[in-house]
Amino acid sequence: MLPETKSSTKDIPRIFNITESAHRIHNPITPEKLATLGAALRLEAGARVLDLGSGSGEMLCTWARDHGVIGIGIDLSPLFTAQAKRRAVELGVADQVTFIHGDAAGYVSDEQVDVAACVGATWIGGGVAGTIELLARSLRTGGIILIGEPYWRQLPPTEAVAKGCLANAIADFLPLPALLASFGHLGYDVVEMVLADQDGWDRYEAAKWLTMRRWLEGNPGDELAKDVRAQLTSEPVRYAAYTREYLGWGVFALMPR
Ligand code: SAH
């Protein structure tokens, strides 16, 4: 666990705190699919769930409400962590979930958990393999690891198309069958998965546009106003041409073989 005093000065790049300030879920998964995933995992009351990069806490808070789980979330954004704490109070689960502001890199829980998750933040462990290794250190025997990760829904025909999806290269992601095979190569069974669809991508990406527009109206003189204006102008077309067509996303449930 990281001391609050040391971590409280840390934050993610401010642009994300602006564009995703109104998001409850910072990924293309919808509330319905998050509920589907919770049910699919057959969570039992009292099950312990660790979430690295817990964002605004929607997964832990709704699973605490719906399944009675006990959750710990760690996130680098003070804004999202504060939102997660407020959401826990709103859903009446503040005594079941703990949200810690800090860097989750290297974080291992004191008590072993039934579910260890990193949903859309696998850079925390230096990639998928490293993040699985990190999560495994907190996992009880027989527990489940959850990894949320993009994959190529269609393989980009050129590197330029991959860049249009905001990837550095085609090699950043795998097609779905290869991603599933890669979990096997790491020694894990894939025991469940819930995949996002294009409507889910719209909820994640398109929701940023109204947030940006309203932020611009309220903060015309801000040092980031030019960048946000440029993003709002270009994002709808870029997103529709690239991310929405080429990028898939899913949460994969893994158990060591
Ligand atoms: N799992 C959440 C959030 C995904 S977005 C959800 O699905 O809604 C990625 C999250 O990772 C953001 O909330 C960001 O603040 C957080 N993050 C980025 N780097 C991190 C780090 N080193 N340690 C902990 N959290 C980090």
Side-chain angles (χ1 to χ4, degrees):
M1 198 172 110
L2 296 156
E4 190 85 9
T5 45
K6 191 180 157 213
S7 57
S8 58
T9 54
K10 293 188 185 165
D11 203 344
I12 57 172
R14 187 167 164 245
I15 186 72
F16 300 110
N17 285 323
I18 294 170
T19 59
E20 299 191 27
S21 63
H23 283 54
R24 269 198 188 133
I25 301 173
H26 305 266
N27 268 312
I29 195 163
T30 58
E32 295 75 22
K33 289 198 182 225
L34 211 48
T36 297
L37 177 63
L41 296 176
R42 305 170 206 174
L43 297 165
E44 286 177 13
R48 286 185 303 275
V49 183
L50 172 69
D51 191 10
L52 303 187
S54 43
S56 300
E58 192 68 3
M59 184 176 85
L60 289 183
C61 289
T62 55
W63 289 2
R65 178 194 62 193
D66 299 341
H67 303 286
V69 305
I70 305 297
I72 300 182
I74 297 102
D75 199 281
L76 194 54
S77 165
L79 174 71
F80 297 167
T81 305
Q83 289 179 168
K85 289 179 183 174
R86 278 204 297 278
R87 186 66 172 149
V89 171
E90 192 175 80
L91 296 189
V93 297
D95 54 343
Q96 285 163 259
V97 293
T98 308
F99 291 104
I100 299 165
H101 168 233
D103 189 339
Y107 185 94
V108 177
S109 61
D110 296 337
E111 237 187 307
Q112 292 200 317
V113 298
D114 301 278
V115 177
C118 181
V119 178
T122 52
W123 57 85
I124 284 173
V128 171
T131 298
I132 290 174
E133 233 170 82
L134 172 62
L135 293 171
R137 291 166 62 195
S138 296
L139 195 70
R140 74 159 170 86
T141 306
I144 291 179
I145 287 178
L146 292 182
I147 292 285
E149 184 70 6
Y151 59 87
W152 292 122
R153 191 174 157 260
Q154 295 182 59
L155 201 62
T158 62
E159 291 292 341
V161 169
K163 286 199 164 66
C165 298
L166 306 183
N168 291 310
I170 297 173
D172 280 8
F173 304 118
L174 297 167
L176 181 59
L179 178 59
L180 295 172
S182 77
F183 295 129
H185 298 143
L186 293 170
Y188 285 83
D189 285 324
V190 181
V191 296
E192 257 294 359
M193 68 178 188
V194 173
L195 304 181
D197 58 19
Q198 288 173 307
D199 291 337
W201 270 113
D202 295 346
R203 287 309 82 234
Y204 176 51
E205 294 293 342
K208 296 175 189 173
W209 308 338
L210 182 57
T211 303
M212 287 195 273
R213 174 61 199 244
R214 294 213 164 135
W215 182 87
L216 279 170
E217 281 162 11
N219 301 273
D222 192 281
E223 59 179 9
L224 282 184
K226 253 196 185 151
D227 296 355
V228 172
R229 175 69 254 173
Q231 268 204 37
L232 177 57
T233 303
S234 60
E235 268 299 286
V237 173
R238 182 208 64 78
Y239 164 67
Y242 297 108
T243 305
R244 195 176 196 278
E245 282 310 302
Y246 289 95
L247 214 54
W249 193 89
V251 182
F252 305 93
L254 313 172
M255 294 178 77
R257 281 184 180 150

